Amino acid sequence: MSLVLDSAAQDLLFREARTANTFTDEPVTDEQVRAIYELVKYGPTSMNQSPLRVTLVRSPEARERLVQHMAEGNRPKTAVAPLVAILSADNEFHEELPQLFPHFPQAKDAFFGERPVREASAALNAALQAAYFIIGVRAAGLAAGPMTGCDMEGIRKEFLDDDHTPLMVVNIGRPGPDAWFPRSPRLDYEQVVTTI
């Protein structure tokens, strides 16, 4: 059985897409980022909690501060990518639940009154949304370079607050020369899927 999504779109989103390591200097506009968000906001999260928050690093000063928190191998590409996004989990996402989950407004207090519960749920669901975000970047015809090789606590202190947990940094732009490392192997279907 084939997928409904045409083969070119499958290639764009998955088969041919890879983490970009170099970028052209073509800017990534606010309109492009808004279009990405307007698409990926529909990806599912538990109870529609939508805890992902995106901090766009545009100014040279902010970029310089961010680069200092990146692992050595990630610094050069982060310094020159057209746009860099810090993706984080909002641990106070429950404050938005009356709007996002209106058919059960008590969910805010019934399920998420305790901070450790919120943090665990926010981490999982924001990670789901981060994956949607990467696919959305690809759908916009751009390349994403997601990275977790960085000082997350330093990034939190520098750019966020105690209510936000950084998940990753994503370089975004049009791929430059030699942007791709060779494709790494993937597990076969039989290694992953079990029927019981």
Side-chain angles (χ1 to χ4, degrees), residues 61-92:
E61 298 78 21
R63 178 79 60 109
E64 187 175 315
R65 289 172 22 229
L66 175 62
V67 166
Q68 299 309 308
H69 296 288
M70 302 304 295
E72 191 66 37
N74 291 331
R75 288 179 180 180
K77 55 191 169 186
T78 304
V80 299
L83 180 63
V84 183
I86 300 168
L87 305 188
S88 63
D90 181 357
N91 297 309
E92 298 298 312

Side-chain angles (χ1 to χ4, degrees), residues 116-130:
V117 174
R118 289 196 305 275
E119 288 178 351
S121 193
L124 172 62
N125 286 281
L128 283 173
Q129 289 187 284

Side-chain angles (χ1 to χ4, degrees), residues 33-62:
V33 177
R34 179 176 292 278
I36 290 165
Y37 175 73
E38 293 298 334
L39 174 64
V40 304
K41 71 181 181 182
Y42 294 106
T45 57
S46 175
M47 300 178 79
N48 199 34
Q49 61 190 247
S50 305
L52 182 70
R53 301 296 179 262
V54 180
T55 303
L56 300 178
V57 180
R58 286 207 181 270
S59 74
E61 298 78 21

Side-chain angles (χ1 to χ4, degrees), residues 19-34:
T19 295
N21 293 287
T22 68
F23 298 90
T24 70
D25 58 2
E26 182 180 332
V28 176
T29 67
D30 289 335
E31 292 77 18
Q32 287 172 300
V33 177
R34 179 176 292 278

